[in-house]
Amino acid sequence: MTAPLIVVVLAAGKGTRMRSTLPKVLHPVAGRPMIQHVLAAAAALEPAQMVVVVGPEGGAIAEAVRPHPVVVQQEQLGTADAVKAAREVVEPLITEGADVLVLYGDGPLITPETLARMQAARRVGEDAFIWLGFRPPDPTGYGRLLINEAGKVSRIVEEKDASEAERAVDLCWAGLLLGEGAPLFHLLEQVKNDNAKKEYYLTSLVDLAARDGLASAVVEGDADEVRGVNSRSELAEAEAILQQRLRLRAMEGGATLIAPETVYFSWDTELAPDVVVEPNVFFGPGVKVAAGARIHGFSHIEGTMIEAGARIGPFARLRPGTRIGPEARVGNFVEMKATSLGAKAKANHLSYVGDAEVGEGANIGAGTITCNYDGFAKHRTTIGAGAFIGSNSSLVAPVNIGVGAVTGAGGTIVADVPDQALAIARAEQNVRPDGAKRLRARRAQLKES
Ligand code: UD1
Ligand code: CA
């Protein structure tokens, strides 16, 4: 039986190095704000409560993390002070013997597996506190984890307070801590700011706990997993690592990525087995692709369900609210938005189809435009099963094209077309025999005069 868990995510930092009006932890990685990645990893441990510590201007963060509560840390006095700010939310649960997990909101790469290893270490040992250690290529700036003969953490010393010998230690604290809640909050009251930065350090808990006979142990994690994001370049590095993970996940799930390094996923992209993705494809949030579908190169897809055996692109753009039916075909330079394309239906070239319902097996000719927006409101177009829309048609919505109906090429369709009807809506053609010859003669004459 594991103790109930309370998760405290620190996100009060100003994130000035991002040079952004958006709070740092709301910058997206793989299409989702960093703090959501952190909360999702922690959620896998099924905590009783998660709470986010924000600064005085944390309104946007509070909005983004709902329904989880936020607490405000008025002044940034250090990591110990930040955890203490969560006290009001945490207190009622502490009495039930809960553990507390502290995470940073700007560390989006942490995995549930690593958090579970910390939990496992809490369970087996006698240690009240588990600190997540790692060995960065360059330890500059991190707190060094000092280990004693018994293999326990004897102290964590911040770079600025460290001796030369301590700085040479390459095992660093990653900023994640799992501890027994009651002593943790009790000891936080005793943390002092008598250090180089005049901050209340969470790392002071090691000493204070030892004084009370409570041991601290270390669990070592992967350096890439505990990377923090402080700048745009670190944001890009985190993105690259996450994309690599998502590509591997897709391939392990049975999808073929011809050039994986050129395919960009959203955190929630789902590819079924035997999906093939050609080079240079971008998936935004909310995409599911069913078995055997093929996504040709240079397609941009978001908020779309693609059914089995469908073929998309090259150069297709599928926008939110779209569903592509089984074995349907969306070809080059076709944009779809909030549209349902029926099974085996085709829109092969150069079209815009928005706010439309297209029936099974319908064929949408090259250059078809659904005129869904009149400058004030959006209107729907329905196209019946087996209908044929001639090339270069304008379907002025709201409009219904019946089952099996045909519209002639170049039509501006403003009124409903009944089932099985043929609609031709273009100026009649006027052919003058030898007219071209006579035209040229007239031109030549004009030039001479
Ligand atoms: C901290 C650790 C250091 C560790 C490193 C890992 C301390 C004293 N030091 O150093 O040992 O190696 O993280 O990245 O804990 N925060 C608040 N309120 C505050 C201060 C910080 O919410 O008053 C948040 C920040 O938003 C940030 C995190 O806590 O997400 C870490 O704070 P930061 O000041 O960056 O700590 P470091 O100096 O990096
Ligand atoms: Ca930091």
Side-chain angles (χ1 to χ4, degrees), residues 10 12-13 73 76-79 82 104 106 142-143 158 173-174 197 201:
L10 306 190
Q73 184 195 18
Q76 273 212 54
L77 302 175
T79 44
Y104 292 170
D106 59 5
Y142 290 108
E158 292 303 302
W173 182 44
K197 278 168 88 181
Y201 288 168

Side-chain angles (χ1 to χ4, degrees), residues 87 94-95 97-100 129 179-188 214:
R87 174 160 225 146
I94 290 294
T95 52
D99 268 1
V100 170
F129 297 99
E180 193 181 340
L184 190 149
F185 275 88
H186 170 69
L187 294 171
L188 279 177
L214 299 172

Side-chain angles (χ1 to χ4, degrees), residues 3-290:
L5 181 69
I6 302 159
V7 174
V8 178
V9 181
L10 306 190
K14 290 204 178 65
T16 39
R17 280 168 61 200
M18 294 295 283
R19 295 184 180 276
S20 177
T21 53
L22 188 69
K24 177 168 76 172
V25 298
L26 296 187
H27 280 262
V29 178
R32 168 162 84 165
M34 288 197 269
I35 196 158
Q36 301 283 12
H37 286 275
V38 176
L39 291 169
L45 305 181
E46 299 179 355
Q49 178 77 61
M50 299 207 266
V51 53
V52 178
V53 180
V54 299
E57 282 151 35
I61 301 175
E63 194 75 22
V65 302
R66 258 210 284 252
H68 306 297
V70 299
V71 293
V72 179
Q73 184 195 18
Q74 288 302 343
E75 251 188 292
Q76 273 212 54
L77 302 175
T79 44
D81 182 71
V83 176
K84 227 164 81 176
R87 174 160 225 146
E88 46 176 295
V89 174
V90 170
E91 194 107 77
L93 292 150
I94 290 294
T95 52
E96 297 161 25
D99 268 1
V100 170
L101 173 66
V102 178
L103 299 160
Y104 292 170
D106 59 5
L109 300 170
I110 191 70
T111 62
E113 292 73 30
T114 297
L115 300 179
R117 282 205 293 128
M118 293 175 76
Q119 234 181 1
R122 259 287 285 150
R123 227 174 289 142
V124 297
E126 305 282 280
D127 309 303
F129 297 99
I130 307 294
W131 305 80
L132 187 70
F134 74 119
R135 295 177 201 271
D138 174 13
T140 309
Y142 290 108
R144 309 297 203 281
L145 268 168
L146 309 181
I147 306 292
N148 64 22
E149 314 81 59
K152 302 294 174 191
V153 182
S154 62
R155 207 150 68 86
I156 302 177
V157 56
E158 292 303 302
E159 170 105 11
K160 282 197 171 145
D161 305 306
S163 67
E164 191 117 350
E166 287 165 342
R167 272 181 212 176
V169 170
D170 69 342
L171 185 63
C172 297
W173 182 44
L176 289 87
L177 165 65
L178 176 65
E180 193 181 340
L184 190 149
F185 275 88
H186 170 69
L187 294 171
L188 279 177
E189 299 297 332
Q190 299 168 26
V191 173
K192 296 198 175 68
N193 66 348
D194 50 357
N195 52 56
K197 278 168 88 181
K198 295 276 169 284
E199 279 188 8
Y200 296 89
Y201 288 168
L202 194 53
T203 47
S204 300
L205 287 183
V206 177
D207 286 328
L208 295 169
R211 210 174 301 164
D212 285 1
L214 299 172
S216 281
V218 63
V219 160
E220 236 184 280
D222 175 59
D224 274 345
E225 247 187 66
V226 298
R227 252 168 211 268
V229 171
N230 297 299
S231 64
R232 302 277 181 168
S233 64
E234 286 171 0
L235 182 69
E237 284 167 21
E239 179 79 45
I241 292 167
L242 200 50
Q243 287 299 335
Q244 194 51 30
R245 279 191 205 162
L246 292 168
R247 290 166 189 144
L248 288 173
R249 186 175 83 182
M251 292 187 281
E252 279 160 12
T256 289
L257 308 182
I258 293 173
E261 67 284 4
T262 69
V263 177
Y264 286 82
F265 288 106
S266 176
W267 63 278
D268 61 346
T269 308
E270 288 180 36
L271 305 186
D274 293 320
V275 165
V276 177
V277 182
E278 291 183 2
N280 296 298
V281 171
F282 181 92
F283 292 100
V287 178
K288 283 189 188 179
V289 186

